[in-house]
Amino acid sequence: MTLDAVTARLKRAGIEPDAARHEAMLLIERFCGVSSASILADRGRDYGSPELEEAVEKRERRIPLQYILGTWEFCGLPFRVTEDCLIPRPDTEVVAERAAELLPSGGRFLDLCTGSGCVAGAVLALTKERGTSGAAVELMPKTAALARENLEHLGFSGRCPVLTGDLRDLTLLPPPTEEGSRFDVIVSNPPYVTAEEMEQLEPEVLREPRIALTDEGDGLSLIRAIVGLYPPYLKETGVLLIEHGWRQAEAVRRIAEEAGLGWAPVYDYGGRVRAGEMRRMNAERFRI
Protein backbone atom coordinates (compact mmCIF):
# COMPACT_ATOMS: atom_id res chain seq x y z
CA MET A 1 0.00 0.00 0.00
CA THR A 2 1.16 3.51 -0.78
CA LEU A 3 0.67 6.53 1.46
CA ASP A 4 -2.20 7.65 -0.78
CA ALA A 5 -3.82 4.22 -0.66
CA VAL A 6 -3.73 4.08 3.13
CA THR A 7 -5.05 7.63 3.34
CA ALA A 8 -7.92 6.81 0.96
CA ARG A 9 -8.93 3.77 3.00
CA LEU A 10 -9.02 5.80 6.20
CA LYS A 11 -11.08 8.52 4.53
CA ARG A 12 -13.61 5.94 3.34
CA ALA A 13 -13.85 4.71 6.94
CA GLY A 14 -15.09 8.16 7.98
CA ILE A 15 -11.88 9.74 9.21
CA GLU A 16 -11.44 13.43 8.34
CA PRO A 17 -9.13 13.99 5.32
CA ASP A 18 -6.38 15.90 7.17
CA ALA A 19 -6.43 13.43 10.04
CA ALA A 20 -6.45 10.50 7.59
CA ARG A 21 -3.19 11.61 5.93
CA HIS A 22 -1.51 12.22 9.29
CA GLU A 23 -2.66 8.88 10.65
CA ALA A 24 -1.57 7.07 7.50
CA MET A 25 1.93 8.42 7.98
CA LEU A 26 2.00 7.41 11.64
CA LEU A 27 0.88 3.88 10.80
CA ILE A 28 3.49 3.49 8.07
CA GLU A 29 6.20 4.86 10.38
CA ARG A 30 5.22 2.50 13.18
CA PHE A 31 4.68 -0.72 11.24
CA CYS A 32 7.17 -0.32 8.40
CA GLY A 33 10.02 1.25 10.34
CA VAL A 34 10.50 4.28 8.11
CA SER A 35 10.71 7.96 8.98
CA SER A 36 8.16 10.59 7.99
CA ALA A 37 10.84 12.28 5.87
CA SER A 38 11.39 9.05 3.92
CA ILE A 39 7.66 8.62 3.40
CA LEU A 40 7.28 12.15 2.02
CA ALA A 41 10.38 11.82 -0.15
CA ASP A 42 8.94 8.75 -1.91
CA ARG A 43 5.15 9.15 -1.85
CA GLY A 44 4.62 6.42 -4.43
CA ARG A 45 6.44 3.70 -2.49
CA ASP A 46 4.46 0.52 -1.92
CA TYR A 47 4.62 -0.71 1.68
CA GLY A 48 3.81 -4.42 1.55
CA SER A 49 3.69 -5.11 5.26
CA PRO A 50 1.21 -7.59 6.83
CA GLU A 51 1.50 -5.63 10.08
CA LEU A 52 0.53 -2.42 8.29
CA GLU A 53 -2.41 -4.14 6.59
CA GLU A 54 -3.66 -5.41 9.95
CA ALA A 55 -3.25 -1.96 11.53
CA VAL A 56 -5.16 -0.24 8.70
CA GLU A 57 -7.97 -2.78 8.99
CA LYS A 58 -8.24 -2.03 12.72
CA ARG A 59 -8.36 1.70 12.07
CA GLU A 60 -11.06 1.15 9.44
CA ARG A 61 -13.10 -0.44 12.24
CA ARG A 62 -12.54 2.83 14.16
CA ILE A 63 -10.32 1.29 16.78
CA PRO A 64 -8.47 4.31 18.20
CA LEU A 65 -5.15 5.07 16.56
CA GLN A 66 -3.48 5.24 19.98
CA TYR A 67 -4.43 1.66 20.82
CA ILE A 68 -3.16 0.45 17.45
CA LEU A 69 0.17 2.22 17.85
CA GLY A 70 0.44 1.03 21.45
CA THR A 71 2.09 4.19 22.76
CA TRP A 72 1.08 7.82 22.92
CA GLU A 73 2.82 11.00 23.98
CA PHE A 74 1.70 13.10 26.93
CA CYS A 75 3.65 16.19 28.04
CA GLY A 76 6.45 15.03 25.75
CA LEU A 77 6.70 11.61 27.42
CA PRO A 78 5.84 8.20 25.92
CA PHE A 79 3.13 6.16 27.64
CA ARG A 80 2.02 2.67 26.72
CA VAL A 81 -1.72 2.65 26.14
CA THR A 82 -4.12 -0.28 25.85
CA GLU A 83 -7.87 -0.73 25.77
CA ASP A 84 -7.70 -0.92 29.59
CA CYS A 85 -6.98 2.81 29.91
CA LEU A 86 -8.31 6.17 28.87
CA ILE A 87 -6.28 7.70 26.05
CA PRO A 88 -4.13 10.64 27.27
CA ARG A 89 -5.37 13.93 25.83
CA PRO A 90 -3.77 17.36 25.34
CA ASP A 91 -6.40 19.09 27.49
CA THR A 92 -5.26 17.05 30.49
CA GLU A 93 -1.70 18.24 29.95
CA VAL A 94 -2.66 21.64 31.37
CA VAL A 95 -3.87 19.90 34.53
CA ALA A 96 -0.59 18.00 34.93
CA GLU A 97 1.40 21.16 34.25
CA ARG A 98 -0.57 23.13 36.81
CA ALA A 99 -0.14 20.38 39.41
CA ALA A 100 3.61 20.53 38.81
CA GLU A 101 3.61 24.31 39.20
CA LEU A 102 1.83 24.02 42.55
CA LEU A 103 4.23 21.47 44.05
CA PRO A 104 6.98 22.90 46.28
CA SER A 105 10.44 21.38 46.58
CA GLY A 106 10.12 18.02 48.27
CA GLY A 107 6.34 18.20 47.86
CA ARG A 108 3.95 15.27 47.66
CA PHE A 109 0.94 14.74 45.41
CA LEU A 110 -1.87 12.22 45.09
CA ASP A 111 -3.25 11.30 41.65
CA LEU A 112 -6.78 9.87 41.80
CA CYS A 113 -8.12 7.90 38.79
CA THR A 114 -4.59 7.66 37.44
CA GLY A 115 -5.43 5.49 34.40
CA SER A 116 -2.28 5.05 32.32
CA GLY A 117 -0.33 7.03 34.93
CA CYS A 118 0.19 9.87 32.47
CA VAL A 119 -0.61 12.68 34.93
CA ALA A 120 1.53 11.21 37.69
CA GLY A 121 4.40 10.53 35.28
CA ALA A 122 4.25 14.04 33.80
CA VAL A 123 4.14 15.68 37.23
CA LEU A 124 7.16 13.68 38.40
CA ALA A 125 9.08 14.52 35.22
CA LEU A 126 8.27 18.22 35.45
CA THR A 127 9.32 18.38 39.11
CA LYS A 128 12.23 15.95 39.00
CA GLU A 129 14.78 18.53 40.11
CA ARG A 130 12.60 19.46 43.10
CA GLY A 131 12.64 15.99 44.64
CA THR A 132 8.89 15.51 44.64
CA SER A 133 7.06 12.25 45.20
CA GLY A 134 3.50 11.00 45.03
CA ALA A 135 1.01 8.20 45.12
CA ALA A 136 -1.68 7.20 42.64
CA VAL A 137 -5.01 5.41 42.91
CA GLU A 138 -6.72 3.39 40.17
CA LEU A 139 -9.90 1.34 40.42
CA MET A 140 -9.23 -1.29 37.73
CA PRO A 141 -6.42 -3.81 38.42
CA LYS A 142 -5.28 -4.13 34.78
CA THR A 143 -5.18 -0.35 34.42
CA ALA A 144 -3.28 0.02 37.69
CA ALA A 145 -0.74 -2.51 36.41
CA LEU A 146 -0.34 -0.47 33.22
CA ALA A 147 0.25 2.70 35.27
CA ARG A 148 2.93 0.91 37.29
CA GLU A 149 4.57 -0.25 34.06
CA ASN A 150 4.60 3.27 32.64
CA LEU A 151 6.01 4.82 35.81
CA GLU A 152 8.68 2.14 35.99
CA HIS A 153 9.61 2.71 32.33
CA LEU A 154 10.05 6.41 33.08
CA GLY A 155 12.15 5.61 36.13
CA PHE A 156 9.62 6.90 38.65
CA SER A 157 8.19 3.74 40.24
CA GLY A 158 10.08 4.35 43.48
CA ARG A 159 8.68 7.85 43.74
CA CYS A 160 5.02 7.00 43.14
CA PRO A 161 3.35 3.75 44.24
CA VAL A 162 0.10 2.90 42.45
CA LEU A 163 -2.69 1.72 44.76
CA THR A 164 -5.52 -0.40 43.38
CA GLY A 165 -9.01 0.38 44.65
CA ASP A 166 -11.96 2.75 44.75
CA LEU A 167 -11.02 6.32 45.62
CA ARG A 168 -14.04 6.39 47.93
CA ASP A 169 -12.38 3.71 50.06
CA LEU A 170 -10.19 5.77 52.35
CA THR A 171 -8.61 2.66 53.86
CA LEU A 172 -6.32 2.73 50.81
CA LEU A 173 -4.43 5.58 52.48
CA PRO A 174 -3.02 6.11 55.96
CA PRO A 175 -5.37 8.28 58.05
CA PRO A 176 -4.69 12.01 57.63
CA THR A 177 -3.81 12.23 61.32
CA GLU A 178 -0.58 10.28 60.71
CA GLU A 179 2.69 12.12 60.20
CA GLY A 180 3.47 12.62 56.51
CA SER A 181 0.07 11.44 55.31
CA ARG A 182 -1.06 14.71 53.75
CA PHE A 183 -0.40 16.10 50.30
CA ASP A 184 0.49 19.44 48.75
CA VAL A 185 -1.62 18.65 45.68
CA ILE A 186 -4.40 16.15 45.06
CA VAL A 187 -5.07 15.92 41.33
CA SER A 188 -7.67 13.93 39.43
CA ASN A 189 -9.10 13.36 35.98
CA PRO A 190 -12.23 11.46 37.02
CA PRO A 191 -14.99 10.14 34.72
CA TYR A 192 -17.10 13.25 34.08
CA VAL A 193 -18.92 12.64 30.77
CA THR A 194 -22.67 12.67 31.36
CA ALA A 195 -24.91 9.77 30.36
CA GLU A 196 -26.53 12.05 27.76
CA GLU A 197 -23.18 13.10 26.29
CA MET A 198 -22.14 9.46 25.95
CA GLU A 199 -24.79 9.04 23.28
CA GLN A 200 -23.09 11.67 21.12
CA LEU A 201 -19.47 10.51 21.25
CA GLU A 202 -17.37 9.43 18.29
CA PRO A 203 -16.96 5.68 17.69
CA GLU A 204 -13.32 5.84 18.79
CA VAL A 205 -14.18 7.31 22.19
CA LEU A 206 -16.77 4.59 22.77
CA ARG A 207 -13.92 2.07 22.43
CA GLU A 208 -12.32 3.49 25.57
CA PRO A 209 -13.22 2.04 28.99
CA ARG A 210 -16.71 3.31 29.73
CA ILE A 211 -16.00 3.37 33.46
CA ALA A 212 -13.19 5.87 32.83
CA LEU A 213 -15.47 8.17 30.86
CA THR A 214 -18.78 8.39 32.70
CA ASP A 215 -20.52 7.80 36.01
CA GLU A 216 -23.70 7.00 34.02
CA GLY A 217 -25.31 10.10 35.50
CA ASP A 218 -24.55 13.80 35.58
CA GLY A 219 -20.78 13.28 35.42
CA LEU A 220 -20.24 14.86 38.82
CA SER A 221 -20.50 11.99 41.30
CA LEU A 222 -16.76 11.29 41.54
CA ILE A 223 -16.05 15.02 41.75
CA ARG A 224 -18.49 15.30 44.65
CA ALA A 225 -16.81 12.33 46.31
CA ILE A 226 -13.32 13.80 45.98
CA VAL A 227 -14.40 17.21 47.24
CA GLY A 228 -16.32 15.62 50.10
CA LEU A 229 -13.65 13.14 51.21
CA TYR A 230 -10.20 14.48 50.46
CA PRO A 231 -9.76 17.96 52.02
CA PRO A 232 -8.51 16.34 55.27
CA TYR A 233 -5.67 14.83 53.21
CA LEU A 234 -4.47 18.27 52.11
CA LYS A 235 -1.75 20.17 53.88
CA GLU A 236 -2.87 23.55 55.23
CA THR A 237 -1.90 25.25 51.97
CA GLY A 238 -2.73 22.25 49.79
CA VAL A 239 -4.77 22.28 46.59
CA LEU A 240 -7.39 20.00 45.05
CA LEU A 241 -7.05 20.09 41.26
CA ILE A 242 -9.89 18.33 39.44
CA GLU A 243 -10.46 18.10 35.70
CA HIS A 244 -14.05 18.37 34.45
CA GLY A 245 -16.05 18.98 31.30
CA TRP A 246 -15.99 22.49 29.89
CA ARG A 247 -19.72 22.86 30.50
CA GLN A 248 -19.39 21.80 34.15
CA ALA A 249 -17.36 24.69 35.54
CA GLU A 250 -20.25 26.40 37.34
CA ALA A 251 -21.49 23.13 38.84
CA VAL A 252 -18.00 22.25 40.08
CA ARG A 253 -17.58 25.75 41.53
CA ARG A 254 -20.79 25.28 43.53
CA ILE A 255 -19.65 21.84 44.76
CA ALA A 256 -16.38 23.38 45.97
CA GLU A 257 -17.98 26.35 47.67
CA GLU A 258 -20.62 24.22 49.38
CA ALA A 259 -17.71 22.24 50.88
CA GLY A 260 -16.08 25.41 52.14
CA LEU A 261 -13.38 25.49 49.47
CA GLY A 262 -12.29 28.43 47.39
CA TRP A 263 -12.39 27.77 43.64
CA ALA A 264 -10.40 29.09 40.68
CA PRO A 265 -10.56 28.05 37.00
CA VAL A 266 -7.81 26.34 35.03
CA TYR A 267 -8.10 26.91 31.28
CA ASP A 268 -7.24 24.44 28.52
CA TYR A 269 -5.45 25.28 25.28
CA GLY A 270 -8.78 26.22 23.70
CA GLY A 271 -9.53 28.81 26.37
CA ARG A 272 -12.23 26.75 28.09
CA VAL A 273 -12.35 26.05 31.81
CA ARG A 274 -10.93 22.52 32.02
CA ALA A 275 -10.32 22.11 35.75
CA GLY A 276 -11.12 23.56 39.13
CA GLU A 277 -8.38 24.55 41.56
CA MET A 278 -9.72 24.37 45.13
CA ARG A 279 -8.22 25.55 48.40
CA ARG A 280 -9.35 25.64 52.00
CA MET A 281 -11.13 28.82 53.02
CA ASN A 282 -11.63 27.67 56.62
CA ALA A 283 -8.85 25.38 57.81
CA GLU A 284 -10.72 24.66 61.05
CA ARG A 285 -13.46 22.92 59.07
CA PHE A 286 -10.99 20.23 57.96
CA ARG A 287 -8.84 19.92 61.05
CA ILE A 288 -8.79 16.40 62.52
Side-chain angles (χ1 to χ4, degrees):
M1 287 182 291
T2 64
L3 173 63
D4 287 343
V6 175
T7 301
R9 286 178 62 174
L10 298 184
K11 286 179 183 177
R12 287 195 296 271
I15 298 167
E16 292 294 323
D18 289 344
R21 173 54 63 98
H22 178 63
E23 291 190 14
M25 290 189 61
L26 290 176
L27 291 171
I28 293 170
E29 284 183 71
R30 169 68 176 81
F31 294 100
C32 297
V34 294
S35 68
S36 57
S38 297
I39 297 169
L40 293 173
D42 188 4
R43 293 171 181 265
R45 178 178 171 182
D46 188 2
Y47 298 94
S49 162
E51 291 82 6
L52 176 62
E53 177 64 35
E54 181 181 358
V56 173
E57 288 177 357
K58 287 180 178 179
R59 194 65 188 100
E60 287 176 315
R61 301 200 305 271
R62 305 298 290 270
I63 294 174
L65 174 70
Q66 295 87 345
Y67 292 157
I68 298 170
L69 296 174
T71 59
W72 199 245
E73 190 173 280
F74 182 84
C75 286
L77 299 168
F79 289 87
R80 193 166 84 85
V81 292
T82 72
E83 293 184 357
D84 293 313
C85 76
L86 196 70
I87 294 168
R89 288 170 166 80
D91 286 339
T92 305
E93 291 185 358
V94 301
V95 180
E97 290 164 355
R98 182 57 181 153
E101 289 173 359
L102 291 166
L103 276 174
S105 294
R108 296 180 68 238
F109 70 91
L110 177 64
D111 179 21
L112 301 172
C113 305
T114 196
S116 65
C118 63
V119 170
V123 171
L124 289 166
L126 290 167
T127 60
K128 189 174 182 179
E129 302 305 317
R130 283 181 261 155
T132 60
S133 61
V137 174
E138 170 55 44
L139 176 63
M140 305 304 293
K142 287 184 179 179
T143 313
L146 179 64
R148 292 187 193 101
E149 178 185 329
N150 278 322
L151 292 175
E152 182 176 1
H153 178 74
L154 294 171
F156 298 142
S157 57
R159 292 170 58 193
C160 187
V162 179
L163 311 174
T164 305
D166 192 319
L167 65 83
R168 290 163 290 200
D169 177 10
L170 296 182
T171 63
L172 290 169
L173 300 169
T177 51
E178 288 190 10
E179 184 71 23
S181 63
R182 297 191 185 189
F183 301 91
D184 297 281
V185 177
I186 298 176
V187 62
S188 183
N189 177 18
Y192 56 74
V193 180
T194 68
E196 182 180 358
E197 289 169 337
M198 287 294 294
E199 303 302 319
Q200 305 162 20
L201 297 180
E202 291 292 319
E204 288 84 352
V205 182
L206 293 174
R207 295 270 191 172
E208 297 182 66
R210 191 175 180 95
I211 196 170
L213 290 166
T214 183
D215 62 0
E216 306 294 352
D218 65 359
L220 298 171
S221 64
L222 269 294
I223 294 175
R224 293 189 189 97
I226 294 168
V227 172
L229 294 172
Y230 280 88
Y233 290 86
L234 289 172
K235 295 180 180 179
E236 290 298 321
T237 57
V239 178
L240 276 180
L241 185 60
I242 305 177
E243 181 172 338
H244 56 71
W246 67 271
R247 296 184 182 92
Q248 295 171 323
E250 183 60 24
V252 174
R253 181 189 66 79
R254 287 196 301 269
I255 291 169
E257 292 180 353
E258 287 169 5
L261 300 175
W263 178 90
V266 176
Y267 294 91
D268 63 23
Y269 298 126
R272 292 172 170 172
V273 181
R274 179 54 56 184
E277 190 174 306
M278 308 169 203
R279 290 178 170 82
R280 302 168 187 242
M281 296 179 67
N282 178 7
E284 291 293 332
R285 178 185 179 95
F286 302 108
R287 189 161 292 159
I288 304 298

